[in-house]
Amino acid sequence: MNFDPAVFFAALTSQGFRNGALLAIALTFVAQLTAVVIGLVVALLRGSGNRVLRGTGWTYVWIFRAIPTLVQILFVWNALPQLFPALKEDWFSPFIAAWLALSINEGAYMAEIIRSGLLAVDEGQQLAARALGMTPSSVFRRVVLPQVTRVIIPPTANEFITMLKITSLASAISLQELLSYTQTSISITFRFAEYYAAAAIYYLVIVSIFMAFQAWLERRFQWRSQRGESGRLATTLRGLGAR
Amino acid sequence: MTDDHKLLLDPALLGPTEGDAGPLLEAVAIQKRYGRNEVLRGVSFGVERGDVKAVLGPSGSGKSTMLRCLALLEPIDAGEVRLEGRTIGVRPSGSRSVRLPERELAHQRSDIGMVFQKFNLFPHLTALGNVMLGLTEVRKRSKADAAQVAGDILERVGLGARAGFYPSELSGGQQQRVAIARALVMNPKVMLFDEPTSALDPELVGEVLAVMEELAREGMTMVVVTHEIGFARKVADRVIMMDEGQIIEDATPDQFFDRPRHERTRRFLEAVH
Amino acid sequence: MTGRSKRLFGLVATAGLILSACTGGGGANSQVPTVSGTTASVAPTGAPPSTAASPSAVAITAPTSLLKAGELSNCVDIEYSPMEFFAPSDPNTPVGFDVESYQAVVKKLGLTEKIVNTGFDGLIPALTAGRCDIVWTALYINEDRLKVADAVPYFKSSHQVMVPAGNPKGVKSEMDLCGLKISIQSGGLVEKVSKTASDACVAAGKPAITIQGYPKVADELQQIVIGRVDGVWETDTQVADFRLKNPGKYDIAFTVGGDSKYGIYFGKGKADLGTALSASLKALKDDGTLAGLATKYNLDPANLDVIQ
């Protein structure tokens, strides 16, 4: 076996790879964002005082975590149109179908992450907020949600990175994203090392960018003032006798 | 105190200190159950305008619960809470009363300030942000307005320089003072303190008690659950002892500490002295 | 880690992966030469020889460059009826034109068979990595592939476009597909050819052909069943099979011009394997075995003419 650098670099800079990568990133973003919204709703349902709402939330998480993601994608693409003929039309593209299936699937996982985030917020927080006279929605928006957000950043970033890989499942319903383009190129040319290497580089770069974004986000939620740092340092120095 | 010492309270907002018949805040035969556990078994007491009432008692006696019921943070099973003579927290429904929905409760709560043992400061906001939140969210003041008022009151509790710090960067005593400022900035008619210094290191207790003393001196109506006997003796107008969900003693500080009437009060005082 | 050192780490890791794959593949090529298997020819079974050249006197030398002595391993993507698929009655037994032709060749060479079920895109990596001797799975021969492996042709095949019965959109040629939707199996020759057709549409000022590529044939065919696509662009063998199983529902719109051949692929530098395969195919064609198999699967025996 040999490795042809020319093929590798051609692949790395090819339009097909670039488009596939952009498609994968776009699908990751929209699916994950939608999943966070769905997850928040379901998490709130699960924490509701109403038994019917609680049961609905639980059932959602149960069903959509149990069924394999690929099956959900194939179901949305191949089975739903038989129930709703409108889904055969052009507007219901593989991207939209994958967006739908992946959001619903990931929403179940996000619901559990957000639920654990809600549990992590100290009870005294909403007690103090209510004591000030804040309404339930104010309490949630201004006091609880910021704290939940901080707690769920690491696991959500994890899900985000996983989602990037999961979007490759959409190749089963003809979405030409990064991985399917790689496999197609290999089938036609029989050169796999070069194409796998190029694909690996793309995924690495994308994930690295995600990770940098996560680090930035975590820094923003550190809740430390600049002065606080220097203040404590100054206090420590003073304490050590440096006058 | 120097002459140009800033007042914590705005006298204009305080209202008349004499002439009002009846207590400012009153608990009338309050009963409360958690499951099968009767935490409050008919508690009645009132605090007059401008007075400071200290509440002592062993843990589990229901002191914190009573405070939370007074602040409308917990529903009660029987009895009434009255502010300025008016029953709050419920509305009539036929011949009975039902608890108001949260949105309306919230409105009534803003007249009652509460300070907690664990401070419960909002960690994602600076000291200034913490104090401002009530003004922007509940009183609907503009951000600029709120920032100014909040900065001012932080100045008065001695934390003007720390306004930009986050709770995690403040000492316990500083955090509790921010908590007091946060409650104070809402111009409450009465302030409730739930063991405000119990979670503090001994050397930090003093700075918090000083602020509370100042408040009392300026005429704030206060109910303070505390273990600080010295503070109670010095600042309180009346002292109550709670035990097993009931008030068993209600007297002036001198009477309470020197000539307690009940055996349980005596035993409790011996234990904490 | 800073961003820059992260990237460096990534490049180093990838380089490491590639190097290990290279050496893995290279190592497998240095095979232990075997002299197993008999070299006697096998008496013809089934139909008697029809041509003058009598196969019984020709001895076919068994190949020596086999991975495992006495065994001709074959990587197959067993999801392509009628060439290779699992028998409905027995989900563990592969059958089909390719499979049974392979089994006839194995017998001819006096070797044992071993079929490795491999996903479509893993076939050639498996070949070059030395996991199988040949890949006999209805793969077209094209120049790109011949750069990487050698092939012996065995069946002529062309592409066809299949449409619902009655050809409602009146598709008679590539240009009639402009603006319509078709489904194909991704990763094959069809991908290239259909894209070329779509480009021709655009060049002529017409809308492009919407081409949906599916990794699995089952999903590809499902789209015309649902009614999402106007046609399926597939090999003639696949179309024949599908129409056999769904009589009366689908028509052939047209056959795509140009000649293509299916080939048996094997690793470079194994001339003896190529010779053995060619000789066996010729013998089996001459004695009618292959023709019999073709007819069994509703294929046209005339396509065997590519066997020289």
Side-chain angles (χ1 to χ4, degrees), chain A residues 1 77-78 90 174 184 187 192, chain C residues 22 128 181 187 191 213-214 223:
Chain A
M1 195 215 87
W77 186 244
N78 289 328
D90 281 353
S174 82
T184 301
S187 290
F192 55 96
Chain C
C22 272
T128 46
K181 281 161 73 174
E191 193 135 25
Y214 294 83
Q223 305 311 309

Side-chain angles (χ1 to χ4, degrees), chain A residues 122-139 141-144 146-147 150 222-229 231-232 235, chain B residues 68 72-74 99 102-103 106-107 109-110 112 114 116 118-124 130 133-134 136-138 161 164-166 168-169 182-183 186:
Chain A
D122 187 82
E123 187 191 41
Q125 289 295 302
Q126 51 94 7
L127 211 60
R130 285 163 65 214
L132 286 176
M134 282 168 69
T135 59
S137 89
S138 274
V139 172
R141 271 182 304 115
R142 303 301 307 270
V143 174
V144 173
Q147 297 184 54
R150 180 196 192 175
Q222 242 174 359
W223 305 328
R224 283 211 181 298
S225 71
Q226 303 290 52
R227 275 171 296 163
E229 289 291 331
R232 272 216 309 278
T235 312
Chain B
R68 285 206 296 272
L72 302 180
L73 290 171
E74 297 258 9
R99 185 164 163 88
E102 269 294 311
R103 288 205 60 132
H107 183 70
R109 280 187 203 124
S110 58
I112 303 171
M114 181 127 175
F116 301 87
K118 292 193 310 188
F119 329 141
N120 289 339
L121 287 184
F122 307 131
H124 58 294
N130 264 275
L133 193 62
T136 51
E137 289 292 305
V138 182
F165 285 22
Y166 284 88
S168 60
E169 297 164 327
R182 179 176 67 175
M186 304 292 286

